[in-house]
C-alpha cells in the first residue's frame, strides 16, 4: 500500500498531525530551503556556485520521485528520473541562492495562508476536500491542527512526515519563493510612454513597394563550397548560440537483432493453438488460466461492450457460452478468449449499508467474528421491525465516510474492480430491493455489511471473458545466433576502418548517434538503458570498437567517432545547424556580384532575369512579403524614406536577394490600441518571457560542476 494511501486510511487525525509537525518543522528551520545534515557523508554529486549537492540528498529526492512515478502507474526509466532529480536539485540550489541574496523568506503566517488559504496546494486539497460537496474545508483543517499538536511525537506521524509530507512541503515552499522572486523580476519591467506611442504609430501604418526578388534557389548548392573555416567563422560570430557547457561524444553503431523471427512467432502460435480444445472444455477456468497463461489473471468480472477494447471484441461478444476465439495477436502475444458467461449489469447503482468492522486498517482484530455477526444480525432485526435506517447507521456503522449520507453510496460500474468483490457483486448483480448481509475481507472495510440495493439504472449487456496468452518471444536459437554474429563482428573489427569494411560486407550501414553526454544512461533511437556502455564510451578513445552490448531486443557494436570538448562547437558539430545560413550568405554575395546590375528596379530585373513585383499593405506587425514569406528586412526597407521612389541597394533576405523601391506610406483603417493598452501588451509579453526564462538564465550564469559520472 502506498504511503499516500496509508495516510488516507489512517484517518483525518494523523493527516492533521502530520501537517502540524510539518509547520513546526518549517518554523524551526532558517530561511534556507535546505539545512545541513550532520550525518551526511562528504561525497558530493556536484556543486552549484561552490555549494555542494550531497549524494544523500540526491538519493532521497530520487527515491521520492521514483515512488511518485510508480504510484501514478507511469514509472520513469532510471536515466530520465536521474536527470530530472539532478535538474530539480540544481534549480532548487540556484533559486535558494538568489532568494537568500534578495532576503526573501516565507514566514509561518504566509505558509499557513498557502496551505489553508483560498488556493491550497493540490496535495492539501486532496486530504481536506469534502467528497460530497467538493469544497475545501479550511476551517476544519485549522481546528484539527490546533487540537492535534500533541500527536506530533507519534512515530507513525514522524514516518509519514519524512516519507510523504516533507517533500511536498519543501516543494510548496520552493514554489512560493519562486513566485516571490519571479514577481520581483517581472514587476520590474517598465515600458515608457514614448515607446508605446511609437509602437502605436508604427502599427497604424502600411507601406507599398515594388521589388525585384532573386531567390537563393536560383543558384545550385553545388556551386557554393562551404569550408570548415566558413563554419567556424559563423560559429565565432554567434558564439552564444554554439557554446557547449560540457563534453560530448559520438559513436556509429550497427545492430544484430534478437527479436522473434517468423519461425519463433509460428512456434508460439502453435503452442497456444494446442491449448484451445482444453480451454474450451475446462470447468475450472481460473485454474486453467493460472497454469497455462502468461498474461493477466482471470478475475471473473463482467465487462461491458465499452470495456472490451481488444482487437476482436465484437467477435468475442458474439461467441456462444463456452466458445473460444483465437489465437490472435494482442499486445505482442498470441491470445485465446473464452466467453464464460453473460449477464445484464447497471451502469449506476445506489445502495445503503451498515458496517460492523472486525479489524482495523492494518488487519489487527478489533472485534471477534461472532460478536460482529451477532451485532449486525441485531441491526437487521431492528430495521426489519421498524427501526430507522439512518439511526442505525449513526449508532452502529463503522464506516465513517457514509454517516453523513445515511449510509448511502452511488457507484458507477467503472468502479466495480475498486470495491470489495462481495459488496460489488451484491450492488451490481443482485436485483433492486435486495437486502442481505455479506462478509467482506478487504482490510479497509473488513467485517459484516448489511446492504440494501436501492436503485439501478442504464442496464446493458456485460461479458465474463477469460484469456490465455503467451508472448511472442525469441527462441534460444534466435538469441544465440544474434549473440554469435555480434561477437564475431566485434572480434574482427577492432578499429574504425575494419568496422566500416566489415559492416559493408554484412550489408549493414553504421548508424551515427546524436551527442552522448557523460551522465547519460541511454543512446538516442536505441531501446534500453546501459550506464556501463556510456562509461565505456567515455573511458576509450576515437576509433575504439566496443564488445557487443545488449540493448533492448538487439546487440549493439559501436565505434567511437568523435569527441567534442567543452566550449565552442567544432565545424563538424555545427555544420548541420549552420551550413544553410552560410550557404545563403555566399549565394547572396554571388547574386549581388553577378546578377544584379544598375541602379533601378528595371535594370536589376533585366540583369537577373526576373521581373518587377509589387506589394501592398506591408506592415511592421506582420513583416511578410505576400507570396514570398517572412522578410523583415524588406518590409522595414519599404518604410524607409531614403528609398522613396528610388531603388535600394541589394538586400540579403531570408529567401533571396531583394532590391526594393518604396512607393509610399499611409495610415491603416484598423483600430489601434491606446498607448496605455499597447504598453500593457508589451509589458505582458516581456513579463512572460522574463518569467519563462528566469531559471534558464540563472543556470547559464552559474558555475555548475557535475560529478555524477564519478560518483553514481
Amino acid at each position: 500500500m502506498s504511503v499516500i494511501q496509508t495516510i488516507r486510511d489512517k484517518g483525518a487525525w494523523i493527516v492533521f498531525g502530520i501537517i502540524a509537525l510539518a509547520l513546526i518543522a518549517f518554523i524551526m528551520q532558517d530561511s534556507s530551503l535546505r539545512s545541513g545534515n550532520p550525518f551526511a557523508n562528504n561525497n558530493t554529486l556536484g556543486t552549484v556556485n561552490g555549494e555542494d549537492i550531497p549524494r544523500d540528498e540526491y538519493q532521497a529526492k530520487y527515491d521520492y520521485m521514483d515512488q511518485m512515478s510508480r504510484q501514478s502507474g507511469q514509472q520513469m526509466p532510471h536515466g530520465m528520473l536521474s536527470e530530472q532529480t539532478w535538474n530539480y536539485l540544481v534549480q532548487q540550489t540556484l533559486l535558494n541562492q538568489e532568494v537568500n541574496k534578495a532576503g526573501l523568506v516565507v514566514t509561518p503566517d504566509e505558509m499557513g495562508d498557502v496551505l489553508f488559504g483560498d488556493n491550497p496546494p493540490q496535495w492539501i486539497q486532496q486530504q481536506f476536500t469534502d467528497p460530497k460537496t467538493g469544497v475545501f474545508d479550511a476551517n476544519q483543517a485549522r481546528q484539527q491542527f490546533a487540537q492535534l499538536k500533541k500527536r506530533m511525537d507519534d512515530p507513525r506521524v514522524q514516518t509519514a512526515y519524512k516519507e510523504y509530507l516533507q517533500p511536498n512541503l519543501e516543494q510548496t515552499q520552493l514554489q512560493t519563493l519562486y513566485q516571490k522572486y519571479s514577481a520581483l523580476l517581472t514587476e520590474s519591467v517598465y515600458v515608457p510612454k514614448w515607446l508605446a506611442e511609437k509602437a502605436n504609430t508604427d502599427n497604424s501604418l502600411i507601406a507599398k513597394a515594388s521589388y525585384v526578388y532573386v531567390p537563393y534557389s536560383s543558384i545550385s548548392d553545388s556551386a557554393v563550397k562551404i569550408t570548415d573555416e566558413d563554419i567556424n567563422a559563423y560559429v565565432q560570430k554567434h558564439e552564444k548560440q554554439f557554446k557547449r557547457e560540457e563534453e560530448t561524444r559520438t559513436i556509429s553503431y550497427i545492430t544484430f537483432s534478437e527479436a522473434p523471427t517468423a519461425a519463433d512467432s509460428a512456434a508460439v502460435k502453435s503452442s497456444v493453438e494446442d491449448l484451445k480444445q482444453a480451454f474450451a472444455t475446462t470447468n475450472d477456468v481460473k485454474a486453467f488460466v493460472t497454469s497455462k497463461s502468461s498474461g493477466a489473471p482471470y478475475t471473473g468480472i463482467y465487462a461491458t461492450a465499452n470495456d472490451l477494447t481488444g482487437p476482436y471484441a465484437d467477435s468475442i461478444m458474439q461467441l456462444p457460452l463456452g466458445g473460444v476465439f483465437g489465437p490472435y495477436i494482442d499486445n505482442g502475444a498470441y491470445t485465446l478468449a473464452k466467453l464464460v458467461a453473460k449477464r445484464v449489469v447497471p451502469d449506476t447503482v445506489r445502495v445503503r449499508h451498515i458496517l460492523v468492522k472486525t479489524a482495523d486498517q492494518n488487519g489487527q482484530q478489533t472485534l471477534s467474528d461472532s460478536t460482529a455477526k451477532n451485532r449486525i444480525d441485531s441491526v437487521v432485526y431492528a430495521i426489519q421491525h421498524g427501526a430507522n435506517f439512518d439511526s442505525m447507521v449513526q449508532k452502529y456503522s463503522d464506516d465513517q465516510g457514509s454517516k453523513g449520507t445515511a449510509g448511502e453510496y452511488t457507484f458507477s460500474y467503472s468502479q466495480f474492480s475498486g470495491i470489495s468483490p462481495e459488496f460489488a457483486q451484491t450492488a451490481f448483480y443482485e436485483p433492486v430491493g435486495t437486502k442481505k448481509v455479506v462478509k467482506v475481507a478487504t482490510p479497509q472495510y473488513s467485517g459484516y455489511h448489511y446492504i440494501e440495493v436501492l436503485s439501478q439504472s442504464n442496464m446493458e449487456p456485460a461479458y465474463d471473458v477469460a484469456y490465455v496468452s503467451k508472448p511472442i518471444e525469441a527462441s534460444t536459437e534466435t538469441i544465440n545466433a544474434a549473440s554469435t554474429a555480434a561477437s564475431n563482428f566485434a572480434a574482427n573489427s577492432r578499429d574504425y576502418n575494419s568496422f566500416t569494411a566489415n559492416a559493408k560486407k554484412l550489408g549493414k550501414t553504421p548508424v551515427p548517434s546524436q551527442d552522448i553526454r557523460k551522465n547519460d544512461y541511454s543512446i538516442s533511437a536505441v531501446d534500453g538503458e546501459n550506464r556501463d556502455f556510456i562509461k565505456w564510451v567515455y573511458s576509450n578513445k576515437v576509433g575504439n570498437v566496443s564488445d557487443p552490448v545488449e540493448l533492448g531486443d538487439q546487440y549493439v557494436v559501436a565505434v567511437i567517432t568523435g569527441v567534442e570538448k567543452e566550449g565552442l562547437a567544432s565545424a563538424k558539430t555545427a555544420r548541420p545547424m549552420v551550413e544553410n545560413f552560410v550557404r545563403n550568405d555566399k549565394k547572396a554575395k554571388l547574386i549581388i556580384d553577378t546578377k544584379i546590375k544598375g541602379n533601378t528596379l528595371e535594370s536589376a530585373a533585366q540583369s537577373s532575369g526576373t521581373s518587377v513585383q509589387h506589394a501592398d499593405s506591408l506592415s511592421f506587425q506582420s513583416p511578410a512579403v505576400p507570396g514570398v514569406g517572412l522578410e523583415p528586412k524588406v518590409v522595414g526597407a519599404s518604410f524607409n524614406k531614403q528609398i522613396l521612389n528610388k531603388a535600394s541597394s541589394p538586400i540579403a533576405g531570408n529567401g533571396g536577394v531583394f532590391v526594393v523601391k518604396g512607393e509610399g506610406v499611409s495610415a491603416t483603417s484598423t483600430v489601434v490600441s491606446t498607448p496605455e493598452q499597447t504598453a500593457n501588451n508589451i509589458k505582458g509579453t516581456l513579463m512572460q518571457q522574463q518569467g519563462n526564462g528566469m531559471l534558464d538564465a540563472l543556470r547559464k550564469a552559474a558555475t555548475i560542476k557535475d560529478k555524477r559520472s564519478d560518483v553514481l
Side-chain angles (χ1 to χ4, degrees):
M1 185 177 292
S2 71
V3 174
I4 295 175
Q5 188 62 48
T6 300
I7 293 172
R8 290 175 179 164
D9 291 347
K10 288 182 183 294
W13 75 266
I14 194 170
V15 176
F16 284 110
I18 294 167
I19 291 178
L21 179 63
L23 290 176
I24 294 298
F26 173 77
I27 293 169
M28 293 175 64
Q29 69 182 5
D30 60 20
S31 62
S32 172
L33 287 174
R34 187 174 64 239
S35 58
N37 180 354
F39 301 104
N41 59 47
N42 293 322
N43 200 8
T44 63
L45 289 187
T47 60
V48 178
N49 293 326
E51 182 177 346
D52 290 346
I53 294 181
R55 180 174 181 172
D56 63 335
E57 182 174 355
Y58 164 89
Q59 191 62 53
K61 179 60 64 177
Y62 176 94
D63 291 343
Y64 172 73
M65 294 176 71
D66 184 41
Q67 182 186 38
M68 292 299 100
S69 70
R70 289 173 186 270
Q71 289 175 351
S72 70
Q74 300 177 341
Q75 184 178 0
M76 287 188 287
H78 175 57
M80 182 184 298
L81 193 59
S82 175
E83 190 68 14
Q84 286 196 10
T85 303
W86 168 256
N87 287 334
Y88 174 88
L89 292 174
V90 169
Q91 290 181 358
Q92 182 186 34
T93 305
L94 286 169
L95 182 57
N96 184 39
Q97 292 170 350
E98 292 301 308
V99 298
N100 283 339
K101 290 178 187 177
L104 299 176
V105 295
V106 180
T107 67
D109 287 343
E110 285 180 301
M111 196 63 175
D113 289 341
V114 170
L115 293 176
F116 303 118
D118 294 334
N119 188 28
Q122 185 177 6
W123 56 275
I124 292 289
Q125 291 190 49
Q126 289 173 348
Q127 303 297 337
F128 304 119
T129 295
D130 188 326
K132 298 188 292 294
T133 65
V135 176
F136 173 69
D137 194 340
N139 290 331
Q140 183 190 20
R142 292 184 184 276
Q143 291 170 7
Q144 291 288 341
F145 166 64
Q147 295 172 5
L148 297 168
K149 284 183 179 179
K150 60 185 179 181
R151 299 187 183 272
M152 290 187 295
D153 292 332
D154 189 306
R156 293 176 298 173
V157 176
Q158 296 281 355
T159 299
Y161 166 70
K162 179 180 179 181
E163 295 182 356
Y164 168 64
L165 195 60
Q166 185 179 28
N168 279 306
L169 184 67
E170 179 187 83
Q171 179 61 35
T172 300
Q173 183 188 0
L174 180 68
Q175 184 64 29
T176 304
L177 286 169
Y178 174 94
Q179 291 170 351
K180 283 192 170 189
Y181 182 70
S182 179
L184 280 180
L185 297 181
T186 56
E187 291 301 326
S188 68
V189 173
Y190 171 69
V191 179
K193 184 178 180 180
W194 68 264
L195 179 60
E197 291 175 343
K198 185 177 188 307
N200 262 12
T201 300
D202 290 343
N203 292 338
S204 68
L205 300 176
I206 57 174
K208 294 196 301 182
S210 296
Y211 64 92
V212 171
Y213 169 49
V214 184
Y216 296 134
S217 59
S218 63
I219 296 179
S220 67
D221 289 351
S222 59
V224 179
K225 182 180 180 181
I226 310 299
T227 66
D228 285 350
E229 288 73 19
D230 296 326
I231 301 293
N232 287 332
Y234 186 94
V235 168
Q236 290 169 5
K237 187 177 179 181
H238 305 83
E239 62 177 25
K240 287 186 178 180
Q241 299 178 31
F242 297 97
K243 185 177 181 181
R244 304 172 67 87
E245 297 181 356
E246 60 181 318
E247 178 183 318
T248 61
R249 297 193 172 200
T250 54
I251 62 172
S252 286
Y253 62 90
I254 64 171
T255 61
F256 298 83
S257 176
E258 55 177 4
T261 63
D264 295 334
S265 178
V268 175
K269 181 180 181 181
S270 177
S271 69
V272 174
E273 184 76 55
D274 290 343
L275 298 173
K276 189 171 185 176
Q277 183 61 35
F279 190 31
T281 57
T282 184
N283 292 320
D284 192 344
V285 173
K286 185 173 183 179
F288 190 91
V289 172
T290 300
S291 62
K292 303 297 183 182
S293 178
S294 301
Y298 172 66
T299 63
I301 296 177
Y302 287 80
T304 64
N306 288 335
D307 296 328
L308 288 174
T309 57
Y312 295 97
D314 291 340
S315 298
I316 294 169
M317 288 187 288
Q318 298 302 317
L319 288 170
L321 292 182
V324 178
F325 180 83
Y328 61 93
I329 296 178
D330 185 15
N331 269 340
Y334 275 107
T335 302
L336 297 171
K338 178 177 181 176
L339 183 59
V340 179
K342 296 180 183 179
R343 71 175 308 132
V344 176
V345 299
D347 174 72
T348 305
V349 298
R350 186 169 62 90
V351 299
R352 62 181 181 178
H353 85 130
I354 296 171
L355 165 64
V356 177
K357 298 188 72 171
T358 56
D360 63 16
Q361 308 292 344
N362 298 317
Q364 297 297 316
Q365 188 175 30
T366 58
L367 198 65
S368 69
D369 188 271
S370 59
T371 302
K373 182 64 167 64
N374 288 335
R375 185 175 298 176
I376 200 70
D377 287 343
S378 298
V379 169
V380 173
Y381 181 83
I383 292 173
Q384 290 173 343
H385 288 79
N388 179 270
F389 196 98
D390 187 22
S391 297
M392 294 293 100
V393 169
Q394 303 306 321
K395 188 172 182 179
Y396 294 107
S397 183
D398 292 324
D399 178 17
Q400 302 302 317
S402 63
K403 280 186 178 291
T405 59
E408 286 192 18
Y409 281 112
T410 299
F411 297 109
S412 66
Y413 194 69
S414 62
Q415 295 174 280
F416 189 104
S417 61
I419 308 170
S420 58
E422 303 88 351
F423 195 108
Q425 290 168 10
T426 301
F428 287 94
Y429 295 167
E430 300 287 349
V432 173
T434 295
K435 302 175 182 179
K436 65 185 296 187
V437 174
V438 299
K439 185 178 181 181
V440 171
T442 304
Q444 189 173 357
Y445 298 106
S446 61
Y448 288 92
H449 295 250
Y450 174 58
I451 305 172
E452 290 190 18
V453 182
L454 301 176
S455 67
Q456 297 173 336
S457 59
N458 300 326
M459 308 300 288
E460 58 182 318
Y463 309 86
D464 177 7
V465 182
Y467 299 93
V468 170
S469 63
K470 291 186 180 296
I472 303 172
E473 296 178 332
S475 64
T476 302
E477 291 78 9
T478 297
I479 295 172
N480 288 342
S483 176
T484 299
S487 297
N488 289 339
F489 176 85
N492 295 316
S493 308
R494 302 318 302 166
D495 56 38
Y496 179 82
N497 290 334
S498 59
F499 179 95
T500 305
N502 289 332
K504 185 176 182 179
K505 290 178 183 178
L506 294 177
K508 294 179 178 289
T509 301
V511 179
S513 74
Q514 294 181 0
D515 288 345
I516 300 171
R517 300 178 304 163
K518 197 171 187 178
N519 290 299
D520 284 344
Y521 281 78
S522 59
I523 303 169
S524 59
V526 179
D527 290 335
E529 291 188 349
N530 193 309
R531 179 67 187 143
D532 289 338
F533 179 66
I534 304 298
K535 288 182 177 181
W536 176 88
V537 172
Y538 271 84
S539 60
N540 284 271
K541 58 186 180 180
V542 172
N544 284 9
V545 178
S546 73
D547 291 330
V549 178
E550 191 173 13
L551 295 174
D553 61 354
Q554 57 194 352
Y555 285 97
V556 173
V557 180
V559 59
I560 301 174
T561 55
V563 175
E564 281 289 323
K565 296 295 184 180
E566 178 182 354
L568 286 181
S570 68
K572 178 182 177 182
T573 299
R575 183 176 285 272
M577 296 176 281
V578 308
E579 187 171 22
N580 192 54
F581 296 110
V582 176
R583 180 181 291 112
N584 285 347
D585 286 345
K586 288 200 167 190
K587 285 185 177 183
K589 186 175 186 308
L590 192 58
I591 290 170
I592 293 171
D593 290 344
T594 63
K595 290 193 172 186
I596 297 180
K597 306 296 183 183
N599 54 10
T600 65
L601 291 185
E602 290 72 20
S603 60
Q606 183 177 6
S607 62
S608 61
T610 60
S611 61
V612 176
Q613 302 183 59
H614 302 277
D616 294 325
S617 302
L618 298 173
S619 75
F620 286 115
Q621 286 184 299
S622 180
V625 176
V628 177
L630 286 175
E631 292 291 350
K633 292 181 181 179
V634 176
V635 172
S638 301
F639 286 86
N640 188 348
K641 296 179 181 179
Q642 301 298 319
I643 61 167
L644 182 63
N645 296 321
K646 64 179 180 180
S648 69
S649 301
I651 300 171
N654 292 333
V657 175
F658 295 79
V659 178
V660 181
K661 183 176 74 172
E663 295 184 345
V665 176
S666 60
T668 178
S669 60
T670 303
V671 177
V672 179
S673 303
T674 65
E676 291 76 15
Q677 291 172 326
T678 300
N680 287 334
N681 291 338
I682 297 173
K683 182 177 179 180
T685 300
L686 292 175
M687 289 172 67
Q688 183 177 7
Q689 292 173 348
Q690 192 174 60
N692 293 340
M694 181 185 70
L695 285 173
D696 186 51
L698 289 176
R699 189 160 188 157
K700 288 181 178 178
T703 300
I704 300 173
K705 295 183 179 179
D706 188 346
K707 303 176 183 178
R708 285 178 294 160
S709 61
D710 300 325
V711 178
L712 297 179

